[in-house]
mmCIF file of all heavy atoms in Angstrom:
data_model
loop_
_atom_site.group_PDB
_atom_site.id
_atom_site.type_symbol
_atom_site.label_atom_id
_atom_site.label_comp_id
_atom_site.label_asym_id
_atom_site.label_seq_id
_atom_site.Cartn_x
_atom_site.Cartn_y
_atom_site.Cartn_z
ATOM 1 N N GLU A 1 0.833 -1.208 0.000
ATOM 2 C CA GLU A 1 0.000 0.000 0.000
ATOM 3 C C GLU A 1 0.867 1.258 0.000
ATOM 4 O O GLU A 1 0.567 2.237 -0.697
ATOM 5 C CB GLU A 1 -0.924 0.003 1.215
ATOM 6 C CG GLU A 1 -2.034 -1.041 1.134
ATOM 7 C CD GLU A 1 -2.776 -1.221 2.446
ATOM 8 O OE1 GLU A 1 -2.143 -1.165 3.522
ATOM 9 O OE2 GLU A 1 -4.013 -1.437 2.394
ATOM 10 N N LEU A 2 1.956 1.230 0.774
ATOM 11 C CA LEU A 2 2.874 2.374 0.798
ATOM 12 C C LEU A 2 3.559 2.552 -0.549
ATOM 13 O O LEU A 2 3.770 3.671 -1.008
ATOM 14 C CB LEU A 2 3.908 2.188 1.909
ATOM 15 C CG LEU A 2 3.378 2.319 3.336
ATOM 16 C CD1 LEU A 2 4.408 1.804 4.339
ATOM 17 C CD2 LEU A 2 2.990 3.759 3.649
ATOM 18 N N SER A 3 3.896 1.440 -1.193
ATOM 19 C CA SER A 3 4.525 1.480 -2.514
ATOM 20 C C SER A 3 3.570 2.087 -3.544
ATOM 21 O O SER A 3 3.956 2.965 -4.324
ATOM 22 C CB SER A 3 4.940 0.066 -2.931
ATOM 23 O OG SER A 3 5.446 0.053 -4.242
ATOM 24 N N ASP A 4 2.307 1.638 -3.527
ATOM 25 C CA ASP A 4 1.306 2.167 -4.466
ATOM 26 C C ASP A 4 1.090 3.661 -4.253
ATOM 27 O O ASP A 4 1.036 4.435 -5.207
ATOM 28 C CB ASP A 4 -0.021 1.427 -4.315
ATOM 29 C CG ASP A 4 0.045 -0.016 -4.813
ATOM 30 O OD1 ASP A 4 1.007 -0.346 -5.549
ATOM 31 O OD2 ASP A 4 -0.844 -0.798 -4.445
ATOM 32 N N ALA A 5 0.946 4.061 -2.989
ATOM 33 C CA ALA A 5 0.646 5.462 -2.681
ATOM 34 C C ALA A 5 1.819 6.380 -2.982
ATOM 35 O O ALA A 5 1.633 7.504 -3.460
ATOM 36 C CB ALA A 5 0.230 5.602 -1.216
ATOM 37 N N SER A 6 3.031 5.906 -2.724
ATOM 38 C CA SER A 6 4.215 6.749 -2.939
ATOM 39 C C SER A 6 4.719 6.693 -4.376
ATOM 40 O O SER A 6 5.511 7.533 -4.796
ATOM 41 C CB SER A 6 5.344 6.331 -1.992
ATOM 42 O OG SER A 6 5.802 5.015 -2.309
ATOM 43 N N GLY A 7 4.269 5.664 -5.123
ATOM 44 C CA GLY A 7 4.736 5.509 -6.497
ATOM 45 C C GLY A 7 6.172 5.027 -6.582
ATOM 46 O O GLY A 7 6.864 5.280 -7.567
ATOM 47 N N ASP A 8 6.618 4.337 -5.533
ATOM 48 C CA ASP A 8 7.999 3.862 -5.495
ATOM 49 C C ASP A 8 8.008 2.345 -5.300
ATOM 50 O O ASP A 8 6.986 1.746 -4.983
ATOM 51 C CB ASP A 8 8.771 4.551 -4.364
ATOM 52 C CG ASP A 8 10.202 4.876 -4.772
ATOM 53 O OD1 ASP A 8 10.861 3.976 -5.334
ATOM 54 O OD2 ASP A 8 10.650 6.007 -4.525
ATOM 55 N N SER A 9 9.166 1.732 -5.468
ATOM 56 C CA SER A 9 9.266 0.273 -5.395
ATOM 57 C C SER A 9 9.161 -0.227 -3.955
ATOM 58 O O SER A 9 9.559 0.484 -3.016
ATOM 59 C CB SER A 9 10.596 -0.197 -5.991
ATOM 60 O OG SER A 9 11.663 0.141 -5.114
ATOM 61 N N PRO A 10 8.657 -1.446 -3.762
ATOM 62 C CA PRO A 10 8.585 -2.023 -2.418
ATOM 63 C C PRO A 10 9.947 -2.104 -1.733
ATOM 64 O O PRO A 10 10.048 -1.902 -0.523
ATOM 65 C CB PRO A 10 8.008 -3.425 -2.657
ATOM 66 C CG PRO A 10 7.250 -3.314 -3.927
ATOM 67 C CD PRO A 10 8.022 -2.320 -4.763
ATOM 68 N N GLU A 11 11.012 -2.371 -2.519
ATOM 69 C CA GLU A 11 12.351 -2.470 -1.940
ATOM 70 C C GLU A 11 12.793 -1.128 -1.351
ATOM 71 O O GLU A 11 13.340 -1.058 -0.250
ATOM 72 C CB GLU A 11 13.371 -2.936 -2.997
ATOM 73 C CG GLU A 11 13.145 -4.358 -3.496
ATOM 74 C CD GLU A 11 12.003 -4.479 -4.495
ATOM 75 O OE1 GLU A 11 11.617 -3.451 -5.107
ATOM 76 O OE2 GLU A 11 11.472 -5.595 -4.647
ATOM 77 N N ARG A 12 12.546 -0.045 -2.100
ATOM 78 C CA ARG A 12 12.921 1.290 -1.601
ATOM 79 C C ARG A 12 12.032 1.701 -0.430
ATOM 80 O O ARG A 12 12.490 2.377 0.489
ATOM 81 C CB ARG A 12 12.875 2.313 -2.736
ATOM 82 C CG ARG A 12 14.099 2.196 -3.653
ATOM 83 C CD ARG A 12 14.022 3.109 -4.859
ATOM 84 N NE ARG A 12 13.484 4.422 -4.608
ATOM 85 C CZ ARG A 12 14.221 5.493 -4.286
ATOM 86 N NH1 ARG A 12 15.524 5.384 -4.166
ATOM 87 N NH2 ARG A 12 13.654 6.672 -4.102
ATOM 88 N N VAL A 13 10.770 1.283 -0.455
ATOM 89 C CA VAL A 13 9.872 1.570 0.673
ATOM 90 C C VAL A 13 10.401 0.896 1.938
ATOM 91 O O VAL A 13 10.419 1.501 3.018
ATOM 92 C CB VAL A 13 8.425 1.110 0.367
ATOM 93 C CG1 VAL A 13 7.573 1.084 1.623
ATOM 94 C CG2 VAL A 13 7.791 2.020 -0.685
ATOM 95 N N GLU A 14 10.855 -0.351 1.811
ATOM 96 C CA GLU A 14 11.401 -1.062 2.977
ATOM 97 C C GLU A 14 12.658 -0.372 3.503
ATOM 98 O O GLU A 14 12.859 -0.274 4.713
ATOM 99 C CB GLU A 14 11.678 -2.523 2.623
ATOM 100 C CG GLU A 14 10.407 -3.330 2.464
ATOM 101 C CD GLU A 14 10.662 -4.779 2.094
ATOM 102 O OE1 GLU A 14 11.836 -5.152 1.876
ATOM 103 O OE2 GLU A 14 9.684 -5.538 2.006
ATOM 104 N N THR A 15 13.494 0.134 2.601
ATOM 105 C CA THR A 15 14.686 0.883 3.019
ATOM 106 C C THR A 15 14.278 2.152 3.765
ATOM 107 O O THR A 15 14.849 2.488 4.809
ATOM 108 C CB THR A 15 15.550 1.246 1.791
ATOM 109 O OG1 THR A 15 15.921 0.048 1.113
ATOM 110 C CG2 THR A 15 16.794 2.004 2.208
ATOM 111 N N ALA A 16 13.269 2.845 3.232
ATOM 112 C CA ALA A 16 12.786 4.072 3.879
ATOM 113 C C ALA A 16 12.162 3.766 5.241
ATOM 114 O O ALA A 16 12.330 4.526 6.197
ATOM 115 C CB ALA A 16 11.779 4.778 2.972
ATOM 116 N N LEU A 17 11.467 2.635 5.349
ATOM 117 C CA LEU A 17 10.878 2.232 6.631
ATOM 118 C C LEU A 17 11.969 1.953 7.663
ATOM 119 O O LEU A 17 11.816 2.279 8.843
ATOM 120 C CB LEU A 17 9.985 0.998 6.447
ATOM 121 C CG LEU A 17 8.609 1.264 5.831
ATOM 122 C CD1 LEU A 17 7.959 -0.055 5.415
ATOM 123 C CD2 LEU A 17 7.709 2.017 6.801
ATOM 124 N N SER A 18 13.074 1.366 7.218
ATOM 125 C CA SER A 18 14.202 1.136 8.133
ATOM 126 C C SER A 18 14.752 2.454 8.654
ATOM 127 O O SER A 18 15.064 2.591 9.842
ATOM 128 C CB SER A 18 15.319 0.358 7.429
ATOM 129 O OG SER A 18 14.882 -0.926 7.084
ATOM 130 N N LEU A 19 14.841 3.422 7.768
ATOM 131 C CA LEU A 19 15.310 4.753 8.158
ATOM 132 C C LEU A 19 14.351 5.378 9.173
ATOM 133 O O LEU A 19 14.781 5.919 10.203
ATOM 134 C CB LEU A 19 15.420 5.631 6.912
ATOM 135 C CG LEU A 19 16.040 7.016 7.068
ATOM 136 C CD1 LEU A 19 17.498 6.918 7.466
ATOM 137 C CD2 LEU A 19 15.900 7.793 5.771
ATOM 138 N N LEU A 20 13.052 5.263 8.913
ATOM 139 C CA LEU A 20 12.049 5.803 9.835
ATOM 140 C C LEU A 20 12.067 5.035 11.164
ATOM 141 O O LEU A 20 11.853 5.631 12.228
ATOM 142 C CB LEU A 20 10.655 5.724 9.218
ATOM 143 C CG LEU A 20 10.339 6.709 8.098
ATOM 144 C CD1 LEU A 20 8.979 6.425 7.499
ATOM 145 C CD2 LEU A 20 10.403 8.145 8.601
ATOM 146 N N GLY A 21 12.316 3.735 11.090
ATOM 147 C CA GLY A 21 12.367 2.927 12.309
ATOM 148 C C GLY A 21 13.465 3.401 13.250
ATOM 149 O O GLY A 21 13.291 3.386 14.473
ATOM 150 N N GLU A 22 14.593 3.819 12.684
ATOM 151 C CA GLU A 22 15.678 4.351 13.510
ATOM 152 C C GLU A 22 15.315 5.723 14.078
ATOM 153 O O GLU A 22 15.588 6.019 15.233
ATOM 154 C CB GLU A 22 16.962 4.466 12.663
ATOM 155 C CG GLU A 22 17.531 3.129 12.246
ATOM 156 C CD GLU A 22 18.673 3.282 11.253
ATOM 157 O OE1 GLU A 22 19.177 4.416 11.079
ATOM 158 O OE2 GLU A 22 19.053 2.265 10.639
ATOM 159 N N ARG A 23 14.680 6.535 13.240
ATOM 160 C CA ARG A 23 14.316 7.890 13.659
ATOM 161 C C ARG A 23 13.226 7.869 14.727
ATOM 162 O O ARG A 23 13.250 8.657 15.667
ATOM 163 C CB ARG A 23 13.836 8.674 12.437
ATOM 164 C CG ARG A 23 13.633 10.165 12.669
ATOM 165 C CD ARG A 23 13.226 10.852 11.383
ATOM 166 N NE ARG A 23 14.202 10.645 10.333
ATOM 167 C CZ ARG A 23 13.930 10.754 9.019
ATOM 168 N NH1 ARG A 23 12.718 11.062 8.632
ATOM 169 N NH2 ARG A 23 14.869 10.551 8.130
ATOM 170 N N PHE A 24 12.245 6.968 14.559
ATOM 171 C CA PHE A 24 11.112 6.893 15.481
ATOM 172 C C PHE A 24 11.199 5.609 16.310
ATOM 173 O O PHE A 24 10.334 4.742 16.245
ATOM 174 C CB PHE A 24 9.785 6.944 14.715
ATOM 175 C CG PHE A 24 9.571 8.246 13.990
ATOM 176 C CD1 PHE A 24 9.776 8.341 12.624
ATOM 177 C CD2 PHE A 24 9.189 9.390 14.679
ATOM 178 C CE1 PHE A 24 9.588 9.541 11.954
ATOM 179 C CE2 PHE A 24 9.007 10.592 14.024
ATOM 180 C CZ PHE A 24 9.207 10.667 12.655
ATOM 181 N N ALA A 25 12.250 5.505 17.091
ATOM 182 C CA ALA A 25 12.467 4.335 17.940
ATOM 183 C C ALA A 25 12.091 4.669 19.380
ATOM 184 O O ALA A 25 12.153 5.832 19.798
ATOM 185 C CB ALA A 25 13.928 3.898 17.863
ATOM 186 N N GLU A 26 11.694 3.639 20.121
ATOM 187 C CA GLU A 26 11.384 3.816 21.548
ATOM 188 C C GLU A 26 12.592 4.435 22.239
ATOM 189 O O GLU A 26 13.715 4.000 22.066
ATOM 190 C CB GLU A 26 11.054 2.451 22.167
ATOM 191 C CG GLU A 26 10.370 2.520 23.509
ATOM 192 C CD GLU A 26 8.919 2.951 23.432
ATOM 193 O OE1 GLU A 26 8.112 2.274 22.755
ATOM 194 O OE2 GLU A 26 8.588 3.971 24.062
ATOM 195 N N GLY A 27 12.361 5.495 23.010
ATOM 196 C CA GLY A 27 13.442 6.165 23.720
ATOM 197 C C GLY A 27 14.076 7.315 22.956
ATOM 198 O O GLY A 27 14.801 8.111 23.523
ATOM 199 N N ARG A 28 13.789 7.397 21.646
ATOM 200 C CA ARG A 28 14.356 8.478 20.836
ATOM 201 C C ARG A 28 13.315 9.489 20.406
ATOM 202 O O ARG A 28 13.648 10.608 20.017
ATOM 203 C CB ARG A 28 15.010 7.908 19.575
ATOM 204 C CG ARG A 28 16.223 7.048 19.846
ATOM 205 C CD ARG A 28 16.925 6.713 18.570
ATOM 206 N NE ARG A 28 17.513 7.929 17.991
ATOM 207 C CZ ARG A 28 18.135 7.963 16.836
ATOM 208 N NH1 ARG A 28 18.263 6.882 16.114
ATOM 209 N NH2 ARG A 28 18.645 9.084 16.375
ATOM 210 N N SER A 29 12.034 9.072 20.439
ATOM 211 C CA SER A 29 10.972 9.921 19.905
ATOM 212 C C SER A 29 9.692 9.730 20.716
ATOM 213 O O SER A 29 9.509 8.698 21.368
ATOM 214 C CB SER A 29 10.724 9.553 18.432
ATOM 215 O OG SER A 29 9.587 10.213 17.929
ATOM 216 N N GLY A 30 8.825 10.716 20.651
ATOM 217 C CA GLY A 30 7.527 10.608 21.333
ATOM 218 C C GLY A 30 6.563 9.704 20.608
ATOM 219 O O GLY A 30 5.584 9.240 21.196
ATOM 220 N N ILE A 31 6.826 9.467 19.314
ATOM 221 C CA ILE A 31 6.034 8.483 18.575
ATOM 222 C C ILE A 31 6.969 7.395 18.077
ATOM 223 O O ILE A 31 8.149 7.630 17.837
ATOM 224 C CB ILE A 31 5.232 9.112 17.405
ATOM 225 C CG1 ILE A 31 6.153 9.868 16.444
ATOM 226 C CG2 ILE A 31 4.121 10.003 17.912
ATOM 227 C CD1 ILE A 31 5.448 10.384 15.218
ATOM 228 N N VAL A 32 6.422 6.196 17.944
ATOM 229 C CA VAL A 32 7.225 5.019 17.608
ATOM 230 C C VAL A 32 6.627 4.342 16.383
ATOM 231 O O VAL A 32 5.404 4.176 16.295
ATOM 232 C CB VAL A 32 7.252 4.030 18.803
ATOM 233 C CG1 VAL A 32 8.014 2.767 18.441
ATOM 234 C CG2 VAL A 32 7.869 4.701 20.019
#
């Protein structure tokens, strides 16, 4: 669904999710 909405490949979406996972991690951010 994220790939369809963003118009990007699933592989790049997964890479971007990894980046967001680091940015929005428990203890680092108010949202996880």
